[in-house]
Amino acid sequence: MAGVHPYLLSTTILSSVFGRDSLQLLGTIILISALAELCRALGYLDRFVKSLKGLIGDVRAVIALIPAFIGLFPMPGGAMLSAPLVNRAASGLDLSNEDKAFLNYWFRHIWEWVLPLYPGLIVASAILGVEVKRMSLKQIPITLATIVAGVIFGLAKIKREKVKDEEKGHILAELKLLFLNIWPFLLVIGLYVILKLNLFISLVLTFLVVALIGKTGFVKMRTAVVDSATASTLSLVFGVMAFKGVIGASQAINVVSSFVGQSEISRYVVCFFVPMGVGALTGVTQAYVGVTFPILMPFFGERGDLSLPMLAFAGGFLGVLLSPVHLCLALTREYFGADTLKFYKLLFLPMLFVFAVIVILTIF
């Protein structure tokens, strides 16, 4: 890469790929897959989806609610936790791999605009010197637009299939069945979000508890882990981490920052596209907020006016959603075996819809 000495480039790639963060991330992704496989083998996935269908009665809502629920809890690669559930719920429907990947990916990210649990929103509020609540309230219309876009461009193409009356149970019985079969996922979330344990440790503990209760032998446990450590998963995670390391070493983001400081382009254009570029390069929300918001402060105008900060946050987050190094995108596409070009085509119209809403909110 231009501007990076070959020795620095090679050491950067090696340290990015074999560093502690990268290896722990790889272990986390493998354990998420292994846990999902163990839950599938023990029948948890089938029974959970059946009970959710019985409660809601519309499979389209089930498909959207699963990733939306997982999305309430920030965790790296969280879309992998909902992917097997979405895949099971969508079985038997006339949906392509790309459709299923899109629905899982899109509804997994509807809350990041407004949920204070997400670090990007917290960092933005700290830099701006405003309450997180104000940022959240300001961006509620964008979350609503995101949900509407997912319904129009994703769920609307699914033919409505009502659950037959004989497949429905009493509401209390269905609720009991629901929680009896989603507890492994709730345990991971509880250990990570409430007890604040490391996500890798949370997954290890949950995996062992599920295996113990399910009386799964060591051989089956080892098989679930080994089968999850596929060559494509290894190359995907290492490739993403290597790219991020090289981008940081190349100072490409600093070049963008320097350009902004000398730019005479419309502040609306700068506030949207600069965070979008950094978001697309890093695939991490708090990264584009932390890098671009301080240098965009002069463009934001009057202190307390959140219109342009909202535009900047939105531009950056749309960039993150498009980023090939965004782990949720890469892992979701890999899990469902979705074609890259077809997947991105499915993202285009809903993102255009959300962009239009953002422009209207900013101007008016």
Side-chain angles (χ1 to χ4, degrees):
M1 183 174 285
V4 183
H5 190 277
Y7 175 75
L8 177 59
L9 180 63
S10 59
T11 55
T12 298
I13 291 174
L14 287 173
S15 61
S16 299
V17 168
F18 296 108
R20 178 183 175 183
D21 289 345
S22 181
L23 294 176
Q24 190 172 90
L25 177 62
L26 178 62
T28 298
I29 300 304
I30 290 173
L31 274 172
I32 289 175
S33 297
L35 177 62
E37 173 55 29
L38 200 58
C39 288
R40 184 203 63 76
L42 294 171
Y44 286 116
L45 301 191
D46 285 344
R47 293 191 295 269
F48 167 73
V49 171
K50 180 179 179 295
S51 61
L52 198 55
K53 285 181 179 179
L55 280 170
I56 298 173
D58 190 333
V59 69
R60 297 174 299 180
V62 172
I63 291 172
L65 283 172
I66 292 170
F69 172 74
I70 298 297
L72 288 170
F73 308 95
M75 56 181 66
M80 274 295 287
L81 208 57
S82 58
L85 294 169
V86 169
N87 195 40
R88 183 66 191 89
S91 63
L93 298 178
D94 186 22
L95 288 176
S96 67
N97 292 339
E98 292 76 27
D99 289 326
K100 289 184 283 187
F102 166 76
L103 290 168
N104 183 64
Y105 182 65
W106 188 263
F107 284 101
R108 161 70 174 80
H109 293 92
I110 59 176
W111 307 120
E112 199 157 343
W113 306 98
V114 296
L115 196 63
L117 288 173
Y118 280 95
L121 203 58
I122 296 172
V123 173
S125 300
I127 293 173
L128 294 170
V130 300
E131 292 182 9
V132 177
K133 180 173 69 175
R134 282 196 62 203
M135 281 287 292
S136 296
L137 291 174
K138 181 73 174 178
Q139 299 188 158
I140 284 177
I142 306 180
T143 283
L144 296 176
T146 307
I147 294 171
V148 170
V151 171
I152 294 174
F153 299 105
L155 297 179
K157 67 174 63 176
I158 305 174
K159 183 179 178 181
R160 185 177 183 184
E161 289 190 13
K162 282 192 173 183
V163 177
K164 297 176 183 178
D165 290 338
E166 57 267 27
E167 294 179 356
K168 295 181 181 180
H170 189 275
I171 185 169
L172 292 179
E174 293 288 9
L175 283 171
K176 180 181 178 181
L177 185 64
L178 183 75
F179 285 105
L180 282 175
N181 289 285
I182 199 176
W183 72 263
F185 298 91
L186 294 178
L187 181 57
V188 173
I189 291 167
L191 292 172
Y192 178 66
V193 177
I194 299 174
L195 297 184
K196 300 189 183 302
L197 294 183
N198 177 280
L199 182 56
F200 177 76
I201 300 299
S202 301
L203 284 161
V204 169
L205 292 175
T206 303
F207 183 81
L208 292 175
V209 171
V210 171
L212 182 64
I213 292 177
K215 298 179 180 179
T216 304
F218 175 75
V219 174
K220 289 185 178 180
M221 291 169 59
R222 184 185 62 186
T223 300
V225 173
V226 172
D227 288 351
S228 298
T230 62
S232 58
T233 300
L234 294 171
S235 60
L236 181 64
V237 173
F238 287 153
V240 166
M241 298 305 288
F243 181 79
K244 285 184 178 181
V246 171
I247 286 295
S250 70
Q251 303 297 310
I253 294 176
N254 289 341
V255 172
V256 174
S257 302
S258 176
F259 167 77
V260 172
Q262 303 168 12
S263 176
E264 296 182 3
I265 302 173
S266 164
R267 61 178 183 160
Y268 291 96
V269 174
V270 170
C271 286
F272 183 82
F273 285 103
V274 171
M276 188 178 199
V278 175
L281 283 173
T282 61
V284 179
T285 306
Q286 57 267 37
Y288 79 75
V289 171
V291 169
T292 66
F293 269 49
I295 61 174
L296 289 175
M297 289 294 284
F299 293 83
F300 287 158
E302 185 179 345
R303 183 180 176 84
D305 181 1
L306 296 180
S307 295
L308 284 173
M310 178 187 69
L311 181 67
F313 190 94
F317 190 53
L318 290 179
V320 167
L321 287 177
L322 286 169
S323 174
V325 295
H326 181 186
L327 274 173
C328 280
L329 185 150
L331 292 169
T332 296
R333 190 180 54 75
E334 175 69 21
Y335 179 87
F336 289 101
D339 178 81
T340 303
L341 183 58
K342 291 179 180 178
F343 179 75
Y344 271 107
K345 283 182 178 179
L346 290 178
L347 283 176
F348 178 73
L349 287 178
M351 292 191 74
L352 189 62
F353 179 89
V354 173
F355 172 71
V357 171
I358 292 165
V359 170
I360 292 170
L361 290 172
T362 304
I363 294 175
F364 299 103

